[in-house]
Amino acid sequence: MTLRSVTVLGATGSIGVSTLDVIARHPDLYRVHALTAYQRMDKLAEQAKVFRPAVVVVPDAAARERFLTAWGEAGKAPDVHVGDAALAEIAADPGSDTVMAAIVGAAGLPGALAAARAGKRVLLANKEALVVAGGLFMDAIRDNGAELLPIDSEHNAIFQCLPHHGRAGAPTSPEKSVRKLILTASGGPFRNRTLQELRDVTPAQACAHPNWSMGRKISVDSATMLNKGLEVIEAHWLFAMPPERIKVLVHPQSMIHSMVEYDDGSVLAQLGNPDMRTPIAYGLAFPDRIDAGVGSLDLARIGRLDFEEPDLPRFPCLRLAFEALAAGQTACIALNAANEVAVEAFLCDKLAYMDIANVIESVLNGRAAAASHVDLNTLDGLLAFDADVRRWTQDELVRLSPVHP
């Protein structure tokens, strides 16, 4: 394996931290070119002291000062670039050949797209690159000879179960002989709660995932299963798979990360402990494999693997995601943007848990459903519509009587 130079977008988040953990295990294979962060400047400085990147990117001048204060007297500091434009520039910078796109939300889209257009190996842990801009992003991968390695555990599992042809690209049709893709879902912390019990769910409860350690926003998305709905949309783009050939199956143990069913009846599954370092290591090393620091899977100790169909009345956000995918790209943008605004309101105790889905559905059925002006071929057009939906969603939050008026 040749030495790879890696840029980590979103270095202080859970995916970024896990990526650096894997890189640290293989100093002969990887070096860090750049790190970016939005908030935790002390953590970013700590990482920079260990990995010595040439560049760090922070959101504004105040963050730059906090980073330099945290850096202190630890020798020559890396170059500190500031702002959104710098984020996209560092993603495309020729100083790295591999970009981990791990910024959560629509804010991560410009960097991921810039990396694709620069022909990089893109390790995609940002859902919005595909949910918001699937066509544009996949065209950028194809047109610029970039590689695309999905990092979400479910899509990485599917990728591992598909035949490979020497390169990770952007297919234009489903893999020959594949009948369906089966995305597994843990069911989150509320899989067995009644609808009545869900009415009083708190942010702390929603963020307490039984199997995975994740950020607050994605933990809530897992609890509502909106996260799995976004993964259905991602799978459609990543594998050129029609929606009717994508299935969701609840698997509480989270040991089977997803499956691929073939025309001959064979089902291939990828299993492993629920640790994001496994898909990260696979993406970094593809087509080889490296030690990720993850322990062996002890199936005898686990004893059993359970499966059940998702309960759509309990998880209406999953239903909404399938409906959005069937409706087209603008509906997918609206689904994602409305969810981000609604989840933030819930985390701030301004919206009841059960109203997250109500807000999204109202937006999808309202002005977003009538959107016909969106330019799907430009990032500016996609982001402008995304901003429109966020404004409409704020209106819905007011109309649906928040928890604390």
Side-chain angles (χ1 to χ4, degrees):
M1 292 174 63
T2 58
L3 180 70
R4 283 193 167 273
S5 178
V6 184
T7 288
V8 183
L9 307 180
T12 60
S14 60
I15 296 295
V17 169
S18 292
T19 300
L20 293 175
D21 180 271
V22 175
I23 287 173
R25 296 170 187 275
H26 302 279
D28 56 326
L29 298 178
Y30 306 101
R31 69 176 181 87
V32 174
H33 174 64
L35 300 173
T36 84
Y38 186 74
Q39 287 182 320
R40 300 170 63 193
M41 294 301 107
D42 54 342
K43 180 68 173 178
L44 182 64
E46 177 185 314
Q47 293 173 331
K49 289 174 185 177
V50 173
F51 293 95
R52 296 289 169 171
V55 180
V56 299
V57 180
V58 302
D60 51 39
R64 181 180 186 276
E65 291 306 312
R66 293 200 305 275
F67 172 83
L68 292 174
T69 298
W71 180 266
E73 303 297 325
K76 185 180 183 298
D79 291 339
V80 183
H81 296 184
V82 175
D84 293 340
L87 193 67
E89 288 169 5
I90 204 62
D93 189 287
S96 69
D97 52 57
T98 301
V99 174
M100 169 58 79
I103 297 174
V104 174
L109 176 52
L113 187 59
R117 287 172 170 166
K120 303 294 184 72
R121 169 173 286 194
V122 183
L123 309 184
L124 188 65
N126 170 274
K127 297 180 183 302
E128 288 69 23
L130 295 173
V131 174
V132 174
L136 186 67
F137 185 80
M138 296 303 275
D139 282 346
I141 294 289
R142 283 188 287 265
D143 294 346
N144 296 282
E147 287 188 288
L148 179 59
L149 279 299
I151 299 302
D152 268 357
S153 60
E154 294 81 2
H155 303 107
N156 190 272
I158 288 171
F159 186 84
Q160 292 192 46
C161 292
L162 290 172
H164 296 303
H165 309 288
R167 185 174 173 81
T172 56
S173 61
E175 183 67 39
K176 184 180 179 181
S177 76
V178 169
R179 182 182 293 166
K180 72 174 67 166
L181 307 179
I182 304 168
L183 293 166
T184 57
S186 70
F190 306 138
R191 181 174 59 89
N192 295 317
R193 292 208 183 189
T194 67
L195 289 176
Q196 184 61 40
E197 289 172 331
L198 290 176
R199 298 185 189 282
D200 298 321
V201 162
T202 67
Q205 291 170 329
C207 291
H209 194 281
N211 299 335
W212 297 92
S213 175
M214 305 179 291
R216 282 163 59 80
K217 189 266 182 184
I218 195 171
S219 294
V220 175
D221 286 349
S222 179
T224 65
M225 286 192 73
L226 188 281
N227 189 56
K228 199 57 51 179
L230 296 180
E231 289 173 6
V232 169
I233 297 170
E234 287 182 275
H236 162 71
W237 287 109
L238 284 168
F239 308 112
M241 188 61 68
E244 64 272 15
R245 290 166 61 185
I246 304 172
K247 179 181 176 64
V248 172
L249 193 63
V250 174
H251 167 51
Q253 290 88 357
S254 293
M255 297 300 168
I256 294 178
H257 299 305
S258 277
M259 296 174 269
V260 175
E261 180 179 327
Y262 286 85
D263 288 338
D264 64 1
S266 298
V267 178
L268 301 188
Q270 188 266 334
L271 288 76
N273 287 317
D275 190 317
M276 287 305 298
R277 291 176 297 176
T278 295
I280 289 167
Y282 187 77
L284 284 169
F286 177 82
D288 299 315
R289 292 181 185 267
I290 56 174
D291 174 31
V294 179
S296 298
L297 180 63
D298 188 348
L299 288 172
R301 181 184 59 80
I302 295 165
R304 57 183 286 172
L305 300 174
D306 298 304
F307 305 93
E308 61 190 58
E309 296 286 342
D311 182 349
L312 294 183
R314 186 183 284 116
F315 301 111
C317 287
L318 180 59
R319 168 182 59 83
L320 292 172
F322 272 102
E323 291 174 0
L325 181 55
Q329 185 76 62
T330 55
C332 293
I333 297 171
L335 173 87
N336 179 72
N339 176 68
E340 284 194 21
V341 174
V343 168
E344 179 62 25
F346 166 69
L347 288 172
C348 294
D349 289 320
K350 295 180 180 178
L351 185 72
Y353 174 81
M354 292 293 284
D355 276 337
I356 294 173
N358 293 334
V359 167
I360 296 170
E361 186 158 26
S362 182
V363 170
L364 286 173
N365 292 338
R367 284 174 286 186
S372 59
H373 63 284
V374 184
D375 183 358
L376 298 177
N377 297 312
T378 69
L379 180 58
D380 287 345
L382 294 169
L383 294 179
F385 180 62
D386 179 88
D388 286 344
V389 175
R390 290 168 193 272
R391 287 193 294 271
W392 301 338
T393 307
Q394 292 290 352
D395 293 342
E396 288 301 315
L397 291 178
V398 174
R399 192 183 69 80
L400 283 172
S401 300
V403 175
H404 301 298

